[in-house]
Amino acid sequence: MRIKQVISEKERFMDLLYLGDEDENMISKYLKKSNMFLCYEGNELVGQITVLRLANKIYEIKNLSIYESYQGKGYGSKLVKFIFEHYKNKASVIILGTGECDKTISFYKNLGFTYFMRKKNFFIDNYDHEMYEEGKKLIDMLYFKRVI
């Protein structure tokens, strides 16, 4: 596995970004200002992680997505751990927001993230269509953090 940073033309990976965020308008709000890292297995693109600097030592994972055929094989965890290492001298905390999905919440908790905040009606107020994950309608955004 190798990880490569994307410096320009990040939108060419929109199909992959859509797996982590279904709305092009939402993606366009953070994509140009974010750092994007691609994960490859051999020559095959597996997934990506996109990180935005919010403040001096606070960074947010804005998008993490793995192509379906590679999901459940540890690539998402490896990308998040890569971010911890990559930002260890720049960040004091990494945060992220996600829907109320047990599988996703468990994934981040296993990586050391802890819940700290809820944004009520986030998915209703910010998306032009209903969103579902694991058959559950997404309403509130849950925020998690990890001190590094």
Side-chain angles (χ1 to χ4, degrees), residues 4-87:
K4 174 183 158 188
Q5 186 170 1
V6 179
I7 304 300
S8 62
E9 299 177 18
K10 298 171 195 163
E11 31 318 298
R12 64 194 153 134
F13 302 102
M14 199 59 79
D15 67 319
L16 187 53
L17 288 159
Y18 282 143
L19 296 176
D21 191 337
E22 296 178 15
D23 190 283
E24 187 173 348
N25 290 330
M26 292 296 281
I27 294 169
S28 67
K29 289 179 182 178
Y30 60 77
L31 189 59
K32 287 188 192 282
K33 298 178 282 184
S34 298
N35 291 322
M36 177 187 236
F37 301 91
L38 301 177
C39 175
Y40 290 89
E41 189 61 60
N43 290 326
E44 291 291 317
L45 178 59
V46 169
Q48 66 79 36
I49 191 165
T50 302
V51 180
L52 176 66
R53 181 174 173 253
L54 297 179
N56 187 29
K57 291 195 165 252
I58 302 170
Y59 288 78
E60 181 177 4
I61 295 174
K62 297 299 288 184
N63 193 313
L64 171 62
S65 52
I66 306 296
Y67 283 123
E68 190 173 349
S69 61
Y70 292 100
Q71 290 177 8
K73 298 180 179 178
Y75 292 106
S77 296
K78 288 176 183 174
L79 277 169
V80 173
K81 289 174 184 175
F82 167 82
I83 293 303
F84 294 156
E85 183 63 26
H86 184 80
Y87 289 100

Side-chain angles (χ1 to χ4, degrees), residues 127-138:
Y127 289 86
D128 63 2
H129 63 283
E130 292 183 345
M131 293 180 51
Y132 291 85
E133 196 165 339
E134 293 184 0
K136 184 177 181 182
K137 183 179 176 181
L138 299 179

